[in-house]
Amino acid sequence: MEVRYVLGTFHEIILKGHNRGFFERTLVANLRRALEGLPLASVTIPSRVVMAFHHEVPWPQIQARLATVFGLAGLIPAARAGESYEALEQFVSAHLDWVVGESFAVRCKRSNKRFPLTSEDIQRRLGAFIRHQTGKRVDLTNPATTVRVYVQTDGIYVSFNEYRGAGGLPVGTSGKALVLLSGGIDSPVAALLTLKRGAKVGLVHFHSAPFTSEASIRKVVELARILARYQGQLRLTLVPFGEFQQEVARLTPERLRVVLYRRMMLRVAERIARKSRFLALVTGESLNQVSSQTLENLAAIDRVAHMPVLRPLVGMDKQEIIDLAVRAGTFDLSILPHQDCCSFLQPLHPATRTTAKACEAAEQPLEVDRWARYLQRQATHQLIQPLPWEN
Ligand code: ATP
Ligand code: MG
């Protein structure tokens, strides 16, 4: 299917918001960015969003790009059918082959309140016309084809299909959050869900190079390129963590290592976040998914943070997370083998139920504040551009 127009529908809750103008401008900018490279003519919002192209474009190309734009509930590839009822009927009679199956329904939405016919008039007249032309039967409850007619101030649009949009809120309408990104399956999905709620993200990755290979860094860069498709350019911060890990291994009880690593990651991430005005940290932790993620351990980890630590995956099981990762295209990268920094100097029997008190006691010989400052200074930043589209 090739299309020249795509209509985007809002989730109705959004239309009631006070800052609708800000929301719409952000969405339009995001749509333009995502559709770059296609022959886009204009993006306007007469009532729903109308994306117009200079000439017909294969629908899958548009659809793949729009899957990375949060803020639209429905996507409707459409054709323009003139400005009058007569023009609409003429258009439909030239496209009767699109009415597939044995039954059909006509549904009309009329945002141009000055149009001479009401929605019901149009449904009835066009329904009778199609029935007469095709001999197919009208079925309002379970039609094989639904012919959707949108009477807008900028003309009449017709569509025979509606797809789900990416949902959520436009990226850039909810502040900025810093995501702790490992090379695993979960944290890229956590980043995605944060983007979905309209926040811009930065990424921070802790690696153990040169004690391990640089594979985790390469992987995280590739993941970041995919995530950048959802917001445009983003910043990735790399923190060399191996030296600190060796110190932890030397000076603290083995079973607390993982929790102590995480506490230091949060301290350093928070410093980086504060400096760039990020308002929250985000991790890919769920609850009890692995033994380090007991509620006790999460509580002991969070004690060092002074800003909200969001965990968007908390209610999801592994399969739901994997499904999202597959859909976003991060899964295949995430399962490539790499040496995670947490497998470097990994304890044999990590503590499953620790307390902040036990962690603080274990951290006594470490000078954690000095380490946090030192690691922040060691951090390097790079700007990541979105992975280009193949066509
Ligand atoms: P993931 O699949 O995201 O690696 P996981 O299920 O393997 O998560 P953990 O390895 O316990 O769980 O990590 C929990 C969270 O801690 C990660 O989701 C991520 O947010 C953060 N994290 C872990 N390792 C790193 C790292 N090397 N750099 C940055 N963040 C990390
Ligand atoms: Mg992991």
Side-chain angles (χ1 to χ4, degrees):
M1 181 172 56
E2 306 235 318
V3 298
R4 270 197 69 182
Y5 297 93
V6 180
L7 308 183
T9 59
F10 294 118
H11 202 291
E12 114 188 62
I13 200 161
I14 281 151
L15 299 174
K16 297 186 183 123
H18 294 300
N19 39 11
R20 179 167 172 178
F22 169 59
F23 172 93
E24 289 186 350
R25 282 192 301 281
T26 308
L27 177 64
V28 169
N30 292 352
L31 287 168
R32 286 182 180 285
R33 184 180 40 69
L35 294 170
E36 229 167 74
L38 297 183
L40 183 70
S42 63
V43 182
T44 52
I45 311 191
S47 50
R48 33 191 89 66
V49 177
V50 179
M51 291 158 257
F53 295 85
H54 289 296
H55 52 80
E56 304 217 312
V57 181
W59 169 240
Q61 283 185 23
I62 302 175
Q63 196 179 20
R65 285 165 169 78
L66 293 184
T68 66
V69 183
F70 291 117
L72 289 174
L75 299 174
I76 303 163
R80 232 182 99 105
E83 316 227 317
S84 63
Y85 177 80
E86 289 68 31
L88 167 67
E89 206 173 270
Q90 217 169 22
F91 175 88
V92 170
S93 77
H95 294 88
L96 286 171
D97 53 320
W98 289 5
V99 184
V100 294
E102 283 317 302
S103 61
F104 72 96
V106 178
R107 305 231 182 266
C108 179
K109 289 203 172 137
R110 171 175 164 274
S111 53
N112 176 8
K113 298 302 174 198
R114 278 193 265 170
F115 196 77
L117 300 179
T118 66
S119 296
E120 288 81 63
D121 292 340
I122 293 169
Q123 285 170 188
R124 216 174 304 116
R125 273 178 72 173
L126 192 63
F129 175 75
I130 295 173
R131 193 182 54 213
H132 186 74
Q133 296 287 314
T134 63
K136 294 185 179 184
R137 122 186 105 73
V138 174
D139 181 346
L140 295 181
T141 48
N142 194 21
T145 298
T146 302
V147 182
R148 291 189 171 80
V149 178
Y150 302 87
V151 181
Q152 306 193 156
T153 48
D154 61 330
I156 302 176
Y157 294 85
V158 180
S159 112
F160 297 82
N161 260 310
E162 178 162 0
Y163 299 83
R164 271 180 83 137
L169 303 169
V171 171
T173 57
S174 304
K176 294 199 294 181
L178 184 62
V179 182
L180 283 81
L181 190 75
S182 70
I185 297 168
D186 299 340
S187 40
V189 176
L192 202 72
L193 292 177
T194 307
L195 288 159
K196 184 173 180 186
R197 295 310 302 167
K200 279 200 164 186
V201 300
L203 308 171
V204 58
H205 174 67
F206 296 82
H207 65 85
S208 311
F211 304 103
T212 62
S213 79
E214 300 213 336
S216 83
I217 299 179
R218 285 193 295 274
K219 211 168 144 173
V220 161
V221 168
E222 288 310 309
L223 288 167
R225 276 154 52 87
I226 293 181
L227 292 170
R229 280 181 167 174
Y230 292 80
Q231 80 165 29
Q233 167 179 296
L234 55 74
R235 193 182 76 172
L236 170 65
T237 301
L238 297 174
V239 183
F241 205 51
E243 213 182 321
F244 173 73
Q245 289 178 281
Q246 286 186 319
E247 193 78 343
V248 169
R250 199 164 66 83
L251 295 175
T252 70
E254 182 175 332
R255 38 195 306 280
L256 287 181
R257 268 181 213 168
V258 174
V259 176
L260 299 186
Y261 296 161
R262 283 292 133 69
R263 279 164 63 96
M264 185 54 71
M265 284 184 192
L266 277 201
R267 287 188 189 100
V268 177
E270 183 169 271
R271 284 171 163 273
I272 294 166
R274 187 150 290 140
K275 186 135 190 238
S276 301
R277 295 171 205 266
F278 290 84
L279 293 177
L281 303 176
V282 179
T283 81
E285 284 154 326
S286 182
L287 190 54
N288 265 340
Q289 191 197 83
V290 289
S291 55
S292 60
Q293 297 174 5
T294 61
L295 203 47
E296 287 85 349
N297 283 356
L298 296 182
I301 293 168
D302 266 16
R303 197 61 77 80
V304 303
H306 302 91
M307 56 173 66
V309 181
L310 307 180
R311 296 187 166 89
L313 306 187
V314 76
M316 302 175 82
D317 60 42
K318 195 73 188 186
Q319 193 56 50
E320 292 170 310
I321 297 168
I322 288 174
D323 291 346
L324 286 181
V326 168
R327 245 199 294 156
T330 57
F331 184 76
D332 289 344
L333 280 169
S334 289
I335 57 172
L336 293 175
H338 78 287
Q339 245 185 320
D340 185 39
C341 82
C342 295
S343 49
F344 174 57
L345 299 177
Q346 171 132 30
L348 238 54
H349 302 289
T352 52
R353 278 159 211 274
T354 184
T355 60
K357 227 167 150 182
C359 293
E360 281 156 25
E363 283 167 346
Q364 276 306 320
L366 275 178
E367 292 190 82
V368 287
D369 289 337
R370 196 183 62 77
W371 269 109
R373 271 199 307 278
Y374 172 73
L375 291 172
Q376 182 190 8
R377 279 202 304 275
Q378 298 292 303
T380 56
H381 306 286
Q382 51 183 292
L383 290 177
I384 303 288
Q385 303 303 329
L387 184 67
W389 297 97
E390 269 154 33
N391 46 34

